[in-house]
Amino acid sequence: MISYIIRRLIMLIPVLIGMSIITFSVVHAIPGDPARTIVGDKATPAQIQEIRENLGLDKPAYIQYFTYVKDILQGDLGTSLITKQEISKEIKPFLAATTELAVVAMLIAVFFGVNLGILSAWKQNSWFDYTAMLIALIGVSMPIFWLGLMEQWFFAQELDLLPSNGRLDPRMEFDAITNFYSIDAIIQGNWYAFQDVLLHLILPAVALGTIPMAIIARMTRSSMLEVMRSDYIRTARAKGLGEFWVIYKHTLKNAFIPVLTVVGLQLGLLLGGAVLTETIFSWPGVGRYIFDAINARNYPVIQSGILILATIFVLINLIVDLLYAWVDPRIQYGKGE
Amino acid sequence: MLLQVHNLRKTFPIRGGLLGKKTGEITAVDDVSFYVKKGETLGLVGESGCGKSTTGRAILRLHEPTSGQIEFEGKSLLALSEEEMRKARRDLQMVFQDPFASLNPRQKVMDILEEPLIVHGMGNGKERKEQVQELLHLVGLNQSHAMRYPHQFSGGQRQRIGIARALSTKPKLIVADEPVSALDVSIQSQVLNLMADLQEKFELTYLFIAHDLSVVKHISDRVGVMYLGRLVELADRDELYERPLHPYTQALLSAVPVPDPDFQKQRIILSGDVPSPANPPKGCAFHPRCPHVMDICKEVRPEFADQGGGHFSACHL
C-alpha cells in the first residue's frame, strides 16, 4: 500500500511538469504587457523597459520558465506583481475560503444526491423516480450563474431570509485564525458568528452543489439498479433480510465505487471551478483570486494559482483511488500488479 | 408432507412502446402442481428457460407468484404478509446457481454466514460466532476461512459457503437452484455428496433444480420434468428413468451420454425448437415436436394425472 502511494506520488511529477509548461505557455500567450499594467498608461518606454528587466521579462521564454521552476522547487511560488506579496502566503485565505465552500457544497451534493439516487433506484419507475430524475436533469442543465442570481433574488431579496453575499456580516468583529471561518468561530466559541457563517454558506453552497448533486444522483441510481439485479442481492433477500438493509447495506456498498469516482472528480472541479459562484456571491476564494490576476496580467499569480489547483486535483484523485481499496476489498494495491 | 404446490403460475409482462405499456406476457410457470415429502429430495429437470428456476424462486416468493397456492407445513405461504414471510424464510432457504455472483463481494465469510442468524435473532454474539465456525467445519472449510472475502475462494469452496449460508438458520426446506452446474465435474460430485451428507444429518428436504439428468438421478428420490413452464411428468426416480411415460421425458433421457464408446443407442432426436413462452402452442405444449402427436393434442391440454403408483404424467397417450 505504501509503495503504491509512493509510486503514485512519483507519477505526479511528470503530470505537474506538464501542467507547469502548459500554464506557463498559456499565460504568456495572453495579450498585454504586465510591465505596462504595473506602471500604468503614462509611463515612458524607458520606465517600462526598466521594470521588464527587473522582472526578467526581457529574457527568452525558456529561461523565464526555468527560473520559475527553480523557484517553485525552492518553495517559492513567486511574488504578486500588484501587491508585492509572496503568493504562497497571500493565497492561503483564498484557498481556505474556497475549500470551505467546496466542502460544504460537496456535503450537500453527496447527501442529497446519494439519497435521491437510492430512493429512485429502490422505487424504480415510480412517480418519485421520475420526479427525482427530472430534478436531476434540470440540475445538470442549470447554468450555475443563473441559479445563483435566482437564489439571491428569491431568498435574499424577496424573502430576506439569507444573506446574499460574502462570508460574514462585515460589521461583525471576527479574527480569522485558520481562515476556515466556521472552524474559527468554533475555536473562538463565537456561536453568533458561527451561525452567521453558516447562513452565508447556504446560498453559494447550494448553487455550487447543484450540478454535482444531480450528477451524483444519476450515477447512484444507475449503479444501484445494476447491483440490485445481481444474485447476491437475491441471496440477501432469501436470507430474510428486510428491504431497508438489502438496499442500504448490501446494495449501496457495492454500488458506491462509481459514485466515489464522481465525487472525487467533482470535488476537484469545485475547488478550481468555482469562479462564477465566487464572483456572484462575492466569495473571496481562489477562483476570484486567479480571475482578478488574469484581468491584471498578474503572471506569477495565475501560474502558481493554477499549479496549486492542479496539484490539489491530482491529489484528490489519488485519495479517491486509495479509497477504492477501502470500499472494495477485491481491490488491492501494491500486490502483484 | 412438507411442501405442497397447487396450480402455481408465474407470468412476466412484456413491455414495449413509448410509454412502456404491457404488450404481452411470458408464462414462465404454467399451472404447476406437486408436493415434496419431508426428508426427501425432489429433483426438477428441464432445459434452459423451462421455468424450473422460476418455480423455485416463486415458492420462496423471491418472485411473487401470479396465482396458485403454496402450502408449507400446512400453512399458506402466499397468505403471509411481507414481514411474516421475512420471518418464515428461516425455514425455507435457497442455494443459488452461480457461486461467484451470489455472495456479496464486500462481506467477509463470517458476515455472510452470521447475517442470517442476526436477521432471525438467533443466539448472542458469541454463540453466533461459534455457530459460524461449526458451519464452516460442516461444509469442509476451516476456521481461518471466516475472515476472508469470497473472491479469495475457488468455485467449489464458494458453493460450500453458499450451502453453509443456507444451512445457518437450520431450515426445513432448501431449494437448490442448479447448485453444481457452475462447477467442474470433479467438484460437482464433492458438493453433491456434501449435500447428501448434510441431508442425512439434519433431515433436510431438498427441492433440487438442475438440467443435468445424471446429477438429478444421483441425488433425487423423485424427479419432475418440466417443459415450457409445465410439469409434464413426475415419478419416483427409478420409475422415471426406467419407464418414462411422456415422449418429452423419453427424448430427454435418450440424450444422456453413456460412458461407453462401443455402446450404440437409439437417440430420439426432436425436430424444431422450444416454442416461445410468450406464445405457447394450443393444447399440449409439446405437440409441435412430439413424435406421437395426435389430433387431440393440438386442441386439448392433457391433464397432469396419476397414471398409477404415484407416476404423474401429462399426456394423451
Side-chain angles (χ1 to χ4, degrees), chain B residues 255-275:
Chain B
V256 176
V258 178
D260 177 359
D262 297 327
F263 184 81
Q264 293 291 321
K265 73 171 183 175
Q266 206 64 40
R267 285 189 59 178
I268 305 170
I269 309 289
L270 293 177
S271 60
D273 288 316
V274 183

Side-chain angles (χ1 to χ4, degrees), chain A:
Chain A
M1 188 67 150
I2 292 190
S3 73
Y4 176 80
I5 296 174
I6 292 171
R7 222 156 359 130
R8 281 292 300 263
L9 288 174
I10 292 172
M11 275 159 62
L12 272 185
I13 295 170
V15 174
L16 291 178
I17 291 176
M19 269 312 300
S20 66
I21 293 175
I22 292 171
T23 46
F24 183 85
S25 321
V26 168
V27 165
H28 280 255
I30 300 175
D33 185 344
R36 184 171 286 283
T37 314
I38 294 169
V39 291
D41 287 343
K42 288 174 184 149
T44 62
Q47 283 173 312
I48 292 174
Q49 188 55 33
E50 192 188 325
I51 287 178
R52 287 177 65 86
E53 275 168 28
N54 280 344
L55 295 173
L57 292 174
D58 56 337
K59 301 210 176 76
Y62 70 93
I63 294 194
Q64 288 186 44
Y65 175 72
F66 283 117
T67 318
Y68 165 63
V69 171
K70 195 186 86 197
D71 289 347
I72 290 176
L73 290 178
Q74 292 168 348
D76 177 7
L77 289 174
T79 310
S80 166
L81 296 183
I82 312 289
T83 60
K84 315 285 186 224
Q85 300 282 317
E86 269 181 54
I87 294 169
S88 53
K89 287 210 184 89
E90 196 179 55
I91 202 170
K92 272 182 192 158
F94 294 102
L95 259 183
T98 291
T99 309
E100 187 171 40
L101 178 59
V103 167
V104 173
M106 209 59 209
L107 288 178
I108 293 174
V110 169
F111 178 79
F112 287 102
V114 167
N115 282 299
L116 270 183
I118 290 172
L119 292 175
S120 283
W122 190 350
K123 309 286 176 200
Q124 192 196 358
N125 296 332
S126 66
W127 65 267
F128 178 89
D129 180 23
Y130 293 134
T131 316
M133 285 305 111
L134 183 68
I135 292 172
L137 184 64
I138 294 170
V140 175
S141 340
M142 181 91 70
I144 197 168
F145 63 88
W146 186 82
L147 178 64
L149 290 172
M150 287 303 113
E151 278 183 6
Q152 286 180 328
W153 166 72
F154 191 69
F155 291 102
Q157 190 165 340
E158 292 295 316
L159 298 182
D160 202 16
L161 268 179
L162 296 163
S164 66
N165 58 53
R167 297 181 74 184
L168 191 67
D169 191 327
R171 289 160 297 186
M172 192 172 294
E173 276 186 37
F174 189 75
D175 294 326
I177 304 166
T178 62
N179 282 306
F180 292 92
Y181 279 13
S182 51
I183 297 174
D184 289 344
I186 293 174
I187 292 173
Q188 296 169 28
N190 188 344
W191 300 112
Y192 184 63
F194 183 68
Q195 190 193 346
D196 196 52
V197 168
L198 290 189
L199 288 178
H200 275 85
L201 269 167
I202 292 175
L203 289 186
V206 168
L208 196 59
T210 298
I211 291 175
M213 180 208 74
I215 294 173
I216 290 168
R218 286 151 61 104
M219 182 55 87
T220 308
R221 177 177 181 272
S222 66
S223 181
M224 288 286 289
L225 284 176
E226 202 181 308
V227 174
M228 276 161 73
R229 282 192 209 103
S230 58
D231 279 3
Y232 54 83
I233 297 305
R234 192 185 298 128
T235 308
R237 289 208 179 93
K239 280 178 183 175
L241 221 63
E243 197 61 17
F244 179 84
W245 292 109
V246 171
I247 298 285
Y248 274 84
K249 189 173 170 195
H250 286 253
T251 314
L252 181 60
K253 273 189 179 176
N254 282 288
F256 209 67
I257 286 215
V259 179
L260 191 64
T261 312
V262 171
V263 170
L265 285 173
Q266 290 294 323
L267 185 60
L269 287 176
L270 289 195
L271 284 172
V275 182
L276 282 175
T277 315
E278 289 177 358
T279 308
I280 292 167
F281 290 96
S282 312
W283 194 268
V286 82
R288 279 281 302 285
Y289 181 61
I290 296 176
F291 181 73
D292 291 344
I294 293 172
N295 278 337
R297 315 261 178 271
N298 198 342
Y299 285 4
V301 172
I302 305 172
Q303 281 172 182
S304 299
I306 292 176
L307 198 64
I308 287 171
L309 289 182
T311 313
I312 291 174
F313 190 87
V314 182
L315 285 178
I316 287 176
N317 274 297
L318 173 60
I319 292 168
V320 167
D321 279 359
L322 296 177
L323 283 177
Y324 287 160
W326 173 69
V327 172
D328 189 341
R330 283 171 300 182
I331 299 174
Q332 281 187 336
Y333 294 120
K335 280 189 191 166
E337 46 164 0

